[in-house]
Structure formats: structure tokens, C-alpha cells
Amino acid sequence: QVQLVESGGGLVQAGGSLRLSCAASGRTFSSYGMGWFRQAPGKEREAVACISQHGGSTYYTDSVKGRFTISRDNAKNTVYLQMNSLKPEDTAVYYCAADKAAFVLHTTTTWYDYWGQGTQVTVSS
């Protein structure tokens, strides 16, 4: 069992930056693939960025490439999402998730076993 707690969301103007953090409980954090997902009102939850167990592989959805960076610190049981050049369309609830079946880097919600409660990101124009 893994518990995930996100932090770092908030209100920011377009063009600004935020850094999301997700702290995980447990001793096996490095065995999980990790992902950041987001869900805007009326839309499906989508993968924003995912990272493999030791950070060697990453995935970004096209709309955030070049603006967002996912990273992890296994010694601190924490995964991060650095978000730069934010746009109003980035407004959503952002969720951190952990994938037990991390033999490949998964990018769909169905593979992820544990989820945080989410943190709101609002980008004003």
C-alpha cells in the first residue's frame, strides 16, 4: 500500500511557474512507475507526465512538452512536476499516481494503482 500526498498547487498568472510535489509513504517507492495526471471540469483524466522507476524514461503529453519537467528523488520518496510557461488551458486538478506494474512506462490511468487526492492548479489569463 502506498499513500500519496500532493502539494504545490495554486493560482498563477499565464506565463508563470509552479512546482508540484508528491510525497509517498512506504519503503518501495523506487519500485513504482510514477505519473502526474490532470482532470479539467467536464473532461477525462489525462496523463501529463510519467517517469520510470529510476528516472531513465519519461513521457510527456504533447501539449506540455518543453514546458513541464517530471523528476523524482527516490531517497526522499518524492516525485516532482516543474511547470513553466503556464497557460489557462493547464487549469485542472493535478493528481499523482503510482504504478506497481512498472516493467514498462505506462501512460494510461488504468495501469496506475494508487492515487493522491489531487491539487488544484488555476492559471489566469
Side-chain angles (χ1 to χ4, degrees):
Q1 188 77 12
V2 175
Q3 292 186 327
L4 304 172
V5 179
E6 303 99 335
S7 62
L11 173 64
V12 65
Q13 289 188 333
S17 297
L18 285 174
R19 188 194 197 201
L20 305 183
S21 298
C22 173
S25 64
R27 300 179 180 178
T28 58
F29 177 73
S30 63
S31 69
Y32 294 100
M34 298 298 297
W36 284 99
F37 294 77
R38 67 186 177 188
Q39 188 165 19
K43 295 188 177 181
E44 292 188 355
R45 192 171 297 188
E46 64 169 349
V48 176
C50 304
I51 189 166
S52 59
Q53 295 159 305
H54 297 285
S57 297
T58 56
Y59 160 85
Y60 297 94
T61 193
D62 286 346
S63 62
V64 309
K65 285 179 180 177
R67 300 189 297 123
F68 291 11
T69 303
I70 189 170
S71 61
R72 66 189 296 164
D73 185 337
N74 287 344
K76 296 182 178 180
N77 282 14
T78 303
V79 61
Y80 306 96
L81 185 67
Q82 177 67 44
M83 305 186 294
N84 298 328
S85 302
L86 282 160
K87 303 176 181 181
E89 51 264 43
D90 295 318
T91 295
V93 177
Y94 283 70
Y95 299 90
C96 170
D99 172 18
K100 291 191 297 185
F103 45 89
V104 296
L105 185 61
H106 294 122
T107 62
T108 56
T109 58
T110 52
W111 281 101
Y112 284 78
D113 305 282
Y114 305 107
W115 293 84
Q117 291 300 306
T119 185
Q120 177 71 45
V121 171
T122 303
V123 184
S124 64
S125 58

